[in-house]
Amino acid sequence: HVQLVESGGDSVQAGGSLRLSCVHSGYSPPPDCMAWYRQAPGKVREGVAAIYTGDGTTYYAASVKGRFTISQDNTKNTVYLQMNSLKPEDAGMYYCAADSLPGGNPLTMPGAFFAWPWGQGTQVTVS
């Protein structure tokens, strides 16, 4: 069965950095698009970064562009989210998601990433 497992969440001070990891398994073929979403208490879940695994094309939400970097290691079936210059508003539960998409910005694509199971999330706290 398909599975996404996130890790790396922690409590950091504003201005600090974290690297999140997401290991995917059970997909055949492997997903061609991976993304990170986050959700703060009382707020809507928002997409923060996405990557097409074939050519490495990346997309970012405006709120994180220049501070966050999504990357992948296909040999390890792992997607990373490097988060620098963290702000209190970056706090929340971070989720990994996968999908098969034709191209374009997946963060603005209706219905993207909701067909397949999500990971359990990893908590990021910024104080």
Side-chain angles (χ1 to χ4, degrees):
H1 65 284
V2 298
Q3 189 174 24
L4 299 170
V5 179
E6 302 97 333
S7 62
D10 205 343
S11 181
V12 297
Q13 292 188 336
S17 298
L18 281 175
R19 189 176 82 156
L20 307 183
S21 299
C22 170
V23 179
H24 60 86
S25 61
Y27 293 89
S28 182
D32 54 34
C33 194
M34 301 289 295
W36 285 97
Y37 280 70
R38 67 185 179 191
Q39 187 168 22
K43 293 190 176 181
V44 175
R45 188 175 295 189
E46 63 168 337
V48 297
I51 186 167
Y52 282 95
T53 59
D55 63 8
T57 300
T58 58
Y59 295 86
Y60 296 94
S63 58
V64 306
K65 200 166 187 178
R67 300 187 298 121
F68 289 13
T69 302
I70 188 171
S71 63
Q72 61 183 347
D73 184 339
N74 289 337
T75 66
K76 298 180 179 179
N77 288 349
T78 301
V79 174
Y80 304 99
L81 185 67
Q82 178 67 43
M83 305 187 296
N84 299 329
S85 303
L86 282 162
K87 304 175 182 180
E89 53 263 42
D90 294 318
M93 188 70 80
Y94 281 69
Y95 298 91
C96 183
D99 207 338
S100 177
L101 299 172
N105 187 348
L107 301 179
T108 60
M109 200 174 291
F113 302 109
F114 286 91
W116 292 349
W118 288 53
Q120 82 290 346
T122 187
Q123 184 71 43
V124 173
T125 304
V126 184
S127 58

